Amino acid sequence: MFKIILARLQQGHKTFKYPDGLPPELPDRLRCRPLLDTSKCPDGCRACVEACPTGAITMTGKKATVDLGKCLFCTDCAAACPQKAITYSSNYRLAVRRRQDLVVNDQQTLKLAAALDGRLKKLFGRSLKLRQVSAGGCNACEADCNVLTTLAWDLGRFGIQFVASPRHADGLLITGPVTENMHLALKKTYDALPDPRIVIAVGSCAVAGGPYIDHPQAHNGADTVVPVDLYIPGCPPHPLTILDGLLRFIGRLEKGDPYRPPTAVK
């Protein structure tokens, strides 16, 4: 017993200080928000549009728009662009409250998620219990959600916990494109939640269908079945992207927003 206590004291404090301090440094290879610079493509060649596997990029004239909800962050568009007008940054802040806010062009600033209002913030701001539903996911988004429960991230210190039953939950955290086999299960799980209830869609699949978009056995994301209150895109989203979205949602970043400026990904 004494050896265990001594070892623990020697290990010191392992949990990140975020959001009371800067977030952890992110790896150089991490690909987060894509950046468009249409001034570099005066001809509007549409190479990026044709290369995108999910139709996340559209072009009207010489103006390109990217749907971050559909984006797989695969860099196929950047590789196809002869003018290098598309790059990827380490900007992990991607969560929004409305689906349409994920559709942006090179002139728009992403409208990050606002906190819950009034009674909901009072109810869930200090204690939020979530039932996680994998609605046909590949387990990548699920794994990054699990990372948040580890010692370094310690999601529980914010009062956010995953529970085993929707009867004990305040809301759902959904991953996966909602396959046909999970459609009814997701609806029943949502119906089992006590009121008031919230829904969080995590990952490109849960937001818009991911690589399975428009597949006859998928439903193009969670909001085709249940109302969604928070969208967190990514394929998969980094744990910091998920945590940032959750903290904004419960109002823990209203008074301060520690942030490492994004860097270009090589």
Side-chain angles (χ1 to χ4, degrees):
M1 175 62 73
F2 290 108
K3 289 183 178 180
I4 295 175
I5 295 175
L6 180 61
R8 183 66 189 89
L9 291 174
Q10 290 175 340
Q11 289 173 358
H13 189 71
K14 295 292 184 181
T15 306
F16 298 131
K17 293 182 179 180
Y18 179 82
D20 294 330
L22 286 175
E25 292 189 15
L26 300 175
D28 293 337
R29 65 183 182 276
L30 178 67
R31 301 189 299 265
C32 289
R33 182 179 174 178
L35 304 176
L36 305 176
D37 186 358
T38 51
S39 65
K40 293 184 178 180
C41 52
D43 298 330
C45 69
R46 298 181 60 85
C48 57
V49 177
E50 296 170 2
C52 182
T54 60
I57 303 175
T58 56
M59 184 168 289
T60 304
K62 298 178 181 180
K63 183 179 180 181
T65 300
V66 59
D67 185 341
L68 297 176
K70 292 182 178 180
C71 183
L72 302 181
F73 304 83
C74 64
T75 72
D76 283 1
C77 56
C81 180
Q83 305 299 330
K84 305 301 180 184
I86 301 179
T87 57
Y88 282 78
S89 74
S90 61
N91 189 343
Y92 57 85
R93 304 187 300 175
L94 298 172
V96 300
R97 293 291 303 274
R98 302 185 305 166
R99 176 67 181 86
Q100 58 265 38
D101 289 338
L102 289 173
V103 182
V104 295
N105 58 42
D106 57 349
Q107 303 298 322
Q108 288 178 288
T109 300
L110 191 64
K111 187 177 180 180
L112 297 176
L116 289 165
D117 298 325
R119 178 168 174 260
L120 290 180
K121 182 179 178 181
K122 186 175 181 180
L123 284 173
F124 304 140
R126 297 181 63 184
S127 177
L128 180 62
K129 312 300 182 186
L130 298 172
R131 172 70 169 110
Q132 199 274 322
V133 178
S134 177
C138 70
N139 207 41
C141 294
E142 293 85 346
D144 279 353
C145 289
N146 288 340
V147 166
L148 294 177
T149 66
T150 60
L151 181 65
W153 297 87
D154 192 14
L155 186 64
R157 64 193 163 114
F158 305 110
I160 306 174
Q161 295 178 321
F162 293 109
V163 296
S165 169
R167 299 292 186 186
H168 303 153
D170 302 310
L172 301 181
L173 187 149
I174 303 171
T175 55
V178 188
T179 59
E180 181 61 29
N181 286 342
M182 282 300 297
H183 180 274
L184 180 59
L186 176 58
K187 185 65 171 62
K188 286 186 174 181
T189 304
Y190 176 77
D191 291 340
L193 292 169
D195 287 323
R197 49 196 171 184
I198 59 174
V199 176
I200 301 168
V202 173
S204 298
C205 284
V207 173
Y212 312 103
I213 189 169
D214 294 331
H215 191 282
Q217 294 300 316
H219 287 269
N220 288 355
D223 62 7
T224 62
V225 183
V226 295
V228 173
D229 302 285
L230 180 67
Y231 296 88
I232 306 178
C235 190
H238 191 276
L240 186 55
T241 299
I242 303 172
L243 180 61
D244 177 82
L246 292 175
L247 294 183
R248 291 181 189 281
F249 192 55
I250 63 174
R252 292 296 296 268
L253 289 179
E254 288 183 309
K255 296 181 180 180
D257 187 2
Y259 178 54
R260 291 185 186 274
T263 56
V265 178
K266 299 179 180 179

